[in-house]
Amino acid sequence: MPATRVTRLLPLAAALAAALALPAHGQSLLALYEAARDYDASYQSARAQFDANLARAAQAKAGILPQVGAQASVQRNQFDIDVISGAPPGSGERNFNTQSAAISATQPLYRPAAWAAYEQGKRQAEIAQTVLATAEQDLIVRVSQGYFDVLAAQDTLALVRAQKTAVAEQLAFAQRNFEVGTSTITDSREAQARYDLVVAQEIAAENDLQVRRIALDQLVGRTGSAPLPLATPVVLPAPVPADMNAWVAQAEAVHPAIRQAQLGLDVAGLEVQKAEAGHKPTIDAQLGYSVTRSPQGNLTTTVGTRASGPSIGVVFNMPLFAGFATENRIRETLSLEEQSRAVLEGTRRNVTQATRTAYLGLISGAGQVKALEAAEASSQSALDANRLGYQVGVRINIDVLNSQSQLFQTKRDLAVARYNVLMGNLKLRQANGTLAPTDLQPINAVLAQGGTPAPR
């Protein structure tokens, strides 16, 4: 074989290593999550709603606490008086001022509806906590997805550029061999077509990376976010415990959605008690103190007076008939309680299914990573063999180009599969309701070192 056929090619692995060089500075997943926690509009809205729900729940306590009020008044009284009996007929007028001030307090002693509302308020505060926990878990997943979307887009662009370099070398090789007459024009045209295709893929990959970066920047509230890539060798965390039933049992015990549905059932039961209280009496204790001054006397005397003193009493109220409103309200709340019970059961089933699905997806993803790692090694060996075969004349140019494409696709699929496994760990914890910011620490541990905190 002529020496001109033996031309040194830039290996795809070497080009890829250069394209994937680590940035000087970057942010870890945990750092970007902390930035998003202080910036993301959806999460800030959830926090404001949480504060509002706590305040609304606290309002229910007012029904069992004393009600205190103060009143004051000044009156100008003017009367025309006509004598009609018991004395000689005559007429006149009487003018005087009346000044009064009073303070009163009412303490509910027996109000079943107020106590049921108070218990509802406590449960609604717990519901607000579960809603905020769900929003926090959603933020963790959204930031993590945006983080890995950027890394996947970076890997795709780097792989396309590495393939572009390798195809360019193969094109130059084919052109030189054609010029010296050791290959046909077909090799050059095949390599040129593949090169043009890779250039188009590079343009698309650059655009996708920009879009992904913009989305991440908007989520975390900063520009120029630079997620740290995975450290090499890549070691993916395994799910602990490695038992699907354990994850399901944990979900049934602590999942915010199940807890929220259970609290909703409790609130519905208390609403029934409130409706039934429509048939029950109420008892209140009342205490007051009042002062009344009439400097010019009153209608019956011209002597100025001042009257003051306390008052105390118990008020009993017994509803007798309300036009069947109470009976119908009870029927309504019983139906709503049954609805809440069905919602709780449906939530349990959905959480169980989601947890099982997430666990199986994670296990399947981990298996795919191992299979793709083996496929990557095989694809690299196939490319090396085809290059050698092309140099010695037993393979054609299209074989080398196809091997390069296969290796690129395998590397890309492997990168995406690794990110999917990391996301699968988070989504499994989200599915069973235990996801927390501390779960980002194991992922941070598999990232390349040298990150800088994101601005707060």
Side-chain angles (χ1 to χ4, degrees):
M1 189 63 57
T4 53
R5 292 287 304 269
V6 184
T7 306
R8 183 177 179 276
L9 299 178
L10 179 62
L12 182 57
L16 180 59
L20 289 175
L22 296 181
H25 297 286
Q27 298 85 39
S28 69
L29 176 57
L30 189 58
L32 289 181
Y33 164 73
E34 291 295 339
R37 199 169 186 269
D38 293 336
Y39 178 81
D40 181 65
S42 297
Y43 182 71
Q44 294 301 317
S45 174
R47 286 197 62 87
Q49 185 64 53
F50 169 71
D51 294 337
N53 289 342
L54 288 183
R56 183 183 301 115
Q59 295 172 28
K61 194 175 182 179
I64 63 172
L65 294 178
Q67 304 295 314
V68 180
Q71 305 87 34
S73 66
V74 176
Q75 294 180 337
R76 174 65 178 174
N77 303 284
Q78 181 174 347
F79 294 92
D80 292 326
I81 302 174
D82 293 324
V83 178
I84 60 176
S85 66
S91 63
E93 65 177 25
R94 182 80 177 93
N95 299 326
F96 59 91
N97 295 329
T98 302
Q99 304 163 359
S100 64
I103 184 169
S104 61
T106 301
Q107 171 61 60
L109 299 179
Y110 180 72
R111 283 184 175 267
W115 278 100
Y118 171 61
E119 292 297 329
Q120 282 182 325
K122 292 194 293 186
R123 284 158 179 78
Q124 286 166 349
E126 294 181 54
I127 289 176
Q129 186 65 54
T130 64
V131 172
L132 181 61
T134 300
E136 184 176 47
Q137 292 182 2
D138 177 69
L139 178 63
I140 293 173
V141 170
R142 287 190 290 116
V143 172
S144 301
Q145 189 66 66
Y147 189 95
F148 293 128
D149 282 347
V150 171
L151 290 183
Q154 288 179 173
D155 288 348
T156 298
L157 179 58
L159 288 163
V160 169
R161 286 175 174 171
Q163 188 185 19
K164 177 183 174 182
T165 302
V167 171
E169 289 288 337
Q170 193 68 25
L171 174 60
F173 189 13
Q175 289 175 341
R176 285 193 295 270
N177 288 336
F178 173 71
E179 290 172 357
V180 298
T182 57
S183 68
T184 65
I185 190 62
T186 302
D187 285 352
S188 298
R189 290 176 176 174
E190 287 173 343
Q192 184 65 55
R194 189 62 57 89
Y195 181 83
D196 295 339
L197 176 62
V198 173
V199 169
Q201 292 174 344
E202 181 184 22
I203 295 172
E206 288 175 342
N207 178 73
D208 183 61
L209 176 57
Q210 292 299 321
V211 170
R212 302 294 185 182
R213 281 176 172 167
I214 291 172
L216 182 60
D217 288 347
Q218 181 177 355
L219 184 58
V220 302
R222 57 160 295 158
T223 58
S225 300
L228 289 173
L230 300 182
T232 53
V234 178
V235 180
L236 301 178
V240 179
D243 179 13
M244 181 169 60
N245 292 328
W247 287 94
V248 172
Q250 190 178 37
E252 292 178 348
V254 302
H255 198 287
I258 294 179
R259 179 63 177 158
Q260 182 177 350
Q262 179 62 64
L263 291 167
L265 178 58
D266 294 344
V267 170
L270 290 166
E271 193 65 27
V272 174
Q273 295 182 24
K274 286 172 62 177
E276 292 173 342
H279 287 311
K280 298 177 181 179
T282 61
I283 302 175
D284 299 329
Q286 291 185 342
L287 177 66
Y289 188 88
S290 63
V291 177
T292 302
R293 293 181 71 253
S294 299
Q296 293 87 29
N298 52 40
L299 188 61
T300 60
T301 179
T302 58
V303 178
T305 62
R306 180 182 183 277
S308 63
S311 63
I312 187 170
V314 175
V315 179
F316 174 86
N317 182 32
M318 180 66 189
L320 297 178
F321 181 69
F324 302 107
T326 303
E327 289 82 355
N328 289 317
R329 175 60 180 161
I330 292 173
R331 293 191 187 97
E332 177 190 1
T333 54
L334 286 172
S335 298
L336 293 175
E337 182 183 26
E338 189 61 30
Q339 180 191 38
S340 297
R341 187 173 289 106
V343 169
L344 173 59
E345 182 60 29
T347 302
R348 282 192 176 124
R349 294 173 185 175
N350 291 338
V351 167
T352 298
Q353 179 183 359
T355 302
R356 293 182 184 276
T357 301
Y359 182 85
L360 293 174
L362 177 57
I363 298 303
S364 174
Q368 289 178 10
V369 168
K370 292 182 180 179
L372 287 169
E373 287 174 345
E376 180 186 28
S378 299
S379 297
Q380 184 64 60
S381 298
L383 175 59
D384 294 341
N386 275 287
R387 277 176 171 163
L388 181 60
Y390 181 63
Q391 291 174 0
V392 299
V394 297
R395 290 289 184 182
I396 60 176
N397 194 41
I398 192 64
D399 294 329
V400 178
L401 295 174
N402 288 339
S403 296
Q404 289 175 345
S405 296
Q406 179 179 329
L407 179 59
F408 156 73
Q409 188 62 43
T410 303
K411 285 180 176 292
R412 182 182 182 280
D413 291 346
L414 176 57
V416 171
R418 284 169 173 163
Y419 299 138
N420 287 342
V421 168
L422 293 174
M423 281 302 303
N425 273 283
L426 298 178
K427 289 182 177 180
L428 173 58
R429 286 169 170 77
Q430 183 188 33
N432 90 323
T434 60
L435 182 61
T438 53
D439 293 316
L440 298 178
Q441 292 289 0
I443 296 180
N444 260 19
V446 301
L447 298 176
Q449 300 301 313
T452 57
R456 296 295 298 272

